[in-house]
Amino acid sequence: MARKIGVFATEQQAITAINQLEHAGFTKGELKVLAKDSEHSRRIEAESDVHVDELRELEDVSEHEGNSIFGMAAATGYVSNGTNAVLGMTGYGTAPYTVGGNAFAAAWLLGADEHISALHALGLDDEEAEICKQALQSGSVIVMVETDETKSMFDKDGGPDISRLGAAEAVFRTCSASLIVAGA
């Protein structure tokens, strides 16, 4: 599989890109959209009818597959009497991501590796995952196109890229992508 990744600063830019990609012949199965959380995904799903994977949702799935942060916190002794032990949930007057009142431990447990592992689960390599992690944390929306094309099908002689991924890149440029990454 080959992919092209577009980073968009606004939901509207991502929606326009999705619509133009579909108009160019890409199917929903070839598109993958990532957002930071449900606040950033609702409008895109409503206006494009394409599912948006949320980074926080992906991390929750990763945790349930045996890589549980709560389990690691309990094993390392950072959860005391249960006060503020709910990770990722904040209530009135509590610090986000606090483990047993120890914000340092929570920062260590919820480091960049958690975001990266969730993105690796989507098939992204280290460089792609790092780029997407930074973009998502800043509130950008990621639109990926994955096709069955292989690198050998691309024009290697410096001519125009007439591949389907070349068409996807053209759409990303037209829709003001802030960054375009040629994926694996």
Side-chain angles (χ1 to χ4, degrees):
M1 281 246 174
R3 82 178 124 255
K4 194 69 80 164
I5 302 169
V7 177
F8 296 92
T10 68
E11 287 116 7
Q12 184 57 54
Q13 290 171 331
I15 292 166
T16 303
I18 292 165
N19 290 337
Q20 287 188 16
L21 287 166
E22 287 177 335
H23 184 70
F26 290 94
T27 65
K28 288 181 174 134
E30 294 173 310
L31 303 178
K32 188 170 289 185
V33 183
L34 304 172
K36 182 177 185 176
D37 51 30
S38 62
E39 179 182 330
H40 293 85
S41 68
R42 282 188 214 129
R43 178 175 173 217
I44 297 168
E45 286 181 337
E47 291 186 31
S48 71
D49 199 31
V50 171
H51 174 71
V52 178
D53 289 310
E54 299 163 8
L55 184 58
R56 291 187 180 154
E57 185 178 274
L58 293 171
E59 289 169 350
D60 288 345
V61 168
S62 174
E63 287 176 19
H64 286 75
E65 291 177 351
N67 188 18
S68 172
I69 290 174
F70 185 78
M72 288 187 331
T76 57
Y78 284 112
V79 177
S80 58
N81 62 2
T83 307
N84 289 337
V86 178
L87 302 172
M89 304 295 286
T90 59
Y92 183 76
T94 62
Y97 304 112
T98 302
V99 180
N102 189 333
F104 173 76
W108 173 75
L109 290 171
L110 290 169
D113 290 342
E114 190 64 28
H115 299 306
I116 296 294
S117 5
L119 294 167
H120 280 159
L122 293 174
L124 300 178
D125 65 25
D126 290 337
E127 182 181 346
E128 295 166 337
E130 183 62 32
I131 290 168
C132 290
K133 176 193 75 134
Q134 290 175 2
L136 290 168
Q137 286 177 334
S138 72
S140 294
V141 177
I142 307 292
V143 177
M144 286 189 283
V145 175
E146 293 183 318
T147 68
D148 290 334
E149 289 181 328
T150 62
K151 299 282 186 188
S152 63
M153 292 176 67
F154 299 162
D155 185 2
K156 297 179 183 178
D157 297 327
D161 184 357
I162 57 172
S163 68
R164 293 191 72 225
L165 290 179
E169 182 173 342
V171 168
F172 290 162
R173 290 185 188 285
T174 301
C175 296
S176 303
S178 58
L179 179 65
I180 300 171
V181 179

